Amino acid sequence: MPLRAHLREFRNRLIYAAIGIAVGSVIGWFVYEPVFEALQAPIISAAQEQDALITVNFAGLATALDMKIKVSLFVGVVLSAPWWLYQLWAFVAPGLVKKEKRYTAGFLAAAIPLFAAGIALAWWVYPKAVSILTGFTPEGGSNFLDAQMLMTFTMRLFLAFGIAFVFPVVMVFLSWAGLVRTKTWLKGWRWAIVIIFIAAAMLTPTPDVVTMMSMAGPMVALYFGAIGVARLGEKRRDKKRAAAALDDAEA
C-alpha cells in the first residue's frame, strides 16, 4: 500500500473511532445524572457513617458544565472501547499475515472483557477508597471535595484497573508470537511480583493498602494464569516445529 493510501486509511480509522466516541459521549450526556449519583453515593454514605460534612463542591461558575462534559466523554470512551479497538485492529490487519491476524483478533477478544473486569473491580473498590480517605478528616472538620479533583480521581482509578487487567493478554500475545518464552516469564516471577506491587502503588490514586492489594492481588493471579495459557500455545508451536524438522530430515 502506498504511503499516501496508508495515511488516508489511518485518517479514516481515526475519524471512525472519533465518531464512535462521540456517539458514546452523547449517550453519556443523557445518563450523566445517574452516573454522577453513583459516583456521589459513596460520599453521601461516608458523610452519614462519620456524621460529618462531606460533599462535592462545584467551585467555579462553569464547573458543573465542565464536569458534565468530562463525565460524558469518559462514559463515551468506555462504552465505545470495542469499536475504537476494532478500528485499531482494522488499520493494522492488512499488513499482517493470516497467523498474525488470528493472534491480534484473539488479543482483542480477550482484552475487551478483561478491561471490563478491571473497570468492574474499580467500581467495587471506589466506595471503600472514598470511605477510607474521608475517614482521615478530623472530628468536627468538613471535607469539601472539589468536583474536578473527584473526576480526576475516579478516571485514574478506573483506567488504572482497566489497563492493568489487559497486561496479561500482552504477555500471552508476546509468547504466542514467539517473542518471549514462558520460561522467561517464570524465571522473573519474583521481580514480576515486586514490579506489580510497585505499579499498583503508583497507579492507584489512593495511599491505602486496601486499594493497592485490590489491584495487585488479581494482577499476580492473572500473571501466572497468563503464563499457563501462553505455555499451551508454546507447546503446540514447538510440536509443529519438531514435526516440520522431522519431515525435512526424512526428505
Side-chain angles (χ1 to χ4, degrees):
M1 181 184 293
L3 178 60
R4 182 175 296 179
H6 204 63
L7 292 174
R8 189 183 303 115
E9 176 69 10
F10 179 68
R11 181 199 63 190
N12 292 339
R13 293 300 172 185
L14 279 180
I15 292 173
Y16 295 152
I19 291 173
I21 294 174
V23 172
S25 298
V26 171
I27 297 174
W29 180 273
F30 287 104
V31 300
Y32 167 74
E33 291 295 336
V35 170
F36 182 75
E37 288 176 4
L39 293 176
Q40 193 179 27
I43 298 171
I44 296 174
S45 298
Q48 294 174 347
E49 292 173 1
Q50 301 171 26
D51 193 21
L53 180 58
I54 305 173
T55 185
V56 180
N57 181 41
F58 293 85
L61 182 64
T63 302
L65 176 61
D66 189 44
M67 181 75 168
K68 187 169 184 177
I69 292 173
K70 287 183 177 180
V71 170
S72 300
L73 286 172
F74 181 68
V75 171
V77 170
V78 173
L79 288 180
S80 64
W83 173 252
W84 53 259
L85 282 173
Y86 166 76
Q87 297 304 321
L88 175 63
W89 180 84
F91 173 70
V92 176
L96 301 176
V97 298
K98 185 177 180 180
K99 181 180 178 181
E100 291 171 335
K101 286 182 181 179
R102 191 165 61 247
Y103 286 160
T104 54
F107 169 79
L108 286 177
I112 291 172
L114 278 174
F115 181 81
I119 295 293
L121 182 59
W123 189 262
W124 178 79
V125 169
Y126 171 67
K128 303 180 185 304
V130 170
S131 178
I132 291 172
L133 294 177
T134 55
F136 289 103
T137 305
E139 187 177 351
S142 302
N143 200 330
F144 293 93
L145 305 176
D146 182 73
Q148 300 283 9
M149 179 277 299
L150 177 65
M151 189 58 199
T152 301
F153 172 84
T154 53
M155 286 179 64
R156 281 188 59 191
L157 181 69
F158 281 65
L159 289 177
F161 272 79
I163 293 171
F165 272 52
V166 173
F167 180 72
V169 182
V170 178
M171 290 174 56
V172 174
F173 178 80
L174 292 175
S175 295
W176 283 18
L179 299 175
V180 181
R181 300 285 297 183
T182 52
K183 63 181 181 181
T184 303
W185 298 120
L186 280 173
K187 283 183 179 178
W189 71 269
R190 293 179 180 84
W191 281 106
I193 291 177
V194 172
I195 292 172
I196 285 172
F197 274 87
I198 293 175
M202 294 176 63
L203 290 173
T204 51
T206 63
D208 62 283
V209 178
V210 174
T211 306
M212 183 187 73
M213 290 299 297
S214 297
M215 176 184 284
M219 282 183 68
V220 171
L222 287 171
Y223 178 83
F224 288 103
I227 291 176
V229 174
R231 181 57 183 160
L232 294 176
E234 195 173 71
K235 283 183 177 180
R236 288 196 298 266
R237 189 177 67 250
D238 291 343
K239 287 181 179 179
K240 289 181 180 179
R241 288 179 178 176
L246 183 61
D247 291 341
D248 291 340
E250 292 176 351

